[in-house]
């Protein structure tokens, strides 16, 4: 039996990391996962050893060496190709479940809507990098730009996060459009974390109860 691939998407500050950890504690005892299946947590960029190196180049490069938008897009595609072929697909083939902080939707939102690169080019790179792999379920943790900026407060921004409110607004629009186009499940990210977790649990039970 093939495993299941679940992705959390959303703008910075929406609570993906918290919800990833909450779900990782709940899913193995939820009754949804077949006997013998294991749950694996991962992220993009940085889900493999190569991905960790690419993450540093993408998010915290020397200022004079920051990748230009097209180079940035190519690095994200390289990270994803390695991630899928080395980690995600082999685990799914074993029947394990994979829970990821970001996947291909983030590239469309950040590099397509945010950087305003050609969406058709991004979609073609996504097709190549993923080998056609599509998550079984993608959650969009929906948070306003204003709340995102408030939540981040004094946290030091990486290179992408430092692009500012106008950039983040374009990214937010991108995520909303993708949710509509790709049938993602939208979860309000404004409530307390435990409330958001309960929303996620409910949707997972409804989606996978018959597995």
């Amino acid at each position: 039996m093939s495993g299941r691939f679940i992705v959390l998407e959303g703008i910075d500050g929406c609570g993906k990391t918290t919800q990833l950890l909450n779900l990782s504690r709940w899913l193995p005892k939820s009754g949804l996962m077949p006997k013998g299946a294991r749950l694996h947590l991962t992220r993009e960029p940085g889900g493999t050893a190569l991905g960790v190196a690419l993450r540093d180049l993408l998010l915290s490069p020397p200022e004079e060496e920051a990748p230009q938008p097209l180079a940035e897009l190519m690095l994200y595609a390289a990270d994803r190709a390695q991630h899928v072929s080395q980690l995600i697909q082999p685990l799914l083939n074993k029947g394990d479940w994979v829970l990821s902080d970001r996947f291909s939707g983030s590239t469309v939102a950040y590099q397509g809507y945010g950087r305003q690169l050609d969406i058709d080019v991004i979609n073609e790179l996504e097709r190549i990098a993923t080998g056609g792999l599509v998550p079984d379920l993608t959650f969009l943790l929906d948070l306003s730009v204003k709340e995102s900026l408030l939540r981040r407060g004094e946290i030091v921004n990486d290179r992408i996060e430092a692009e500012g409110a106008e950039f983040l607004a374009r990214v937010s629009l991108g995520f909303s459009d993708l949710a509509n186009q790709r049938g993602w499940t939208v979860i309000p990210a404004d409530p307390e974390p435990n409330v958001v977790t309960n929303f996620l649990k409910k949707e997972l039970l409804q989606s996978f109860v018959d597995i």
Side-chain angles (χ1 to χ4, degrees), residues 63-188:
E63 185 174 347
E64 66 277 9
E65 297 296 335
Q68 296 301 304
L70 185 57
E72 178 182 274
L73 173 63
M74 298 296 187
L75 289 171
Y76 276 110
D79 169 76
R80 183 160 301 120
Q82 185 80 357
H83 195 202
V84 170
S85 63
Q86 181 183 336
L87 185 77
I88 299 173
Q89 194 64 67
L91 291 173
L92 296 177
N93 291 345
K94 287 170 53 181
D96 286 348
W97 287 36
V98 177
L99 184 57
S100 183
D101 181 343
R102 300 198 183 284
F103 193 56
S104 56
S106 280
T107 301
V108 179
Y110 280 88
Q111 280 65 54
Y113 283 74
R115 297 287 192 215
Q116 300 180 306
L117 296 178
D118 190 318
I119 298 292
D120 289 337
V121 171
I122 294 173
N123 287 337
E124 180 63 13
L125 281 173
E126 175 183 342
R127 184 189 66 79
I128 294 168
T130 64
L133 177 66
V134 177
D136 293 283
L137 188 60
T138 298
F139 290 109
L140 173 61
L141 299 183
D142 190 30
L143 189 71
S144 70
V145 172
K146 180 180 179 181
E147 182 63 23
S148 170
L149 294 172
L150 286 173
R151 285 188 180 187
R152 292 200 56 77
E154 299 301 318
I155 297 174
V156 177
N157 292 322
D158 62 37
R159 189 177 65 87
I160 303 297
E161 294 163 347
E163 289 293 334
E166 185 176 336
F167 175 84
L168 194 58
R170 294 197 300 269
V171 172
S172 180
L173 174 62
F175 276 127
S176 294
D177 285 352
L178 282 168
N180 290 326
Q181 296 164 9
R182 301 189 179 189
W184 293 356
T185 300
V186 180
I187 302 292

Side-chain angles (χ1 to χ4, degrees), residues 43 45-60 75 79:
R43 67 177 182 176
T48 63
L50 176 62
V52 171
L54 291 171
R55 184 181 182 89
D56 287 339
L57 287 174
L58 283 161
L59 303 182
S60 305
L75 289 171
D79 169 76

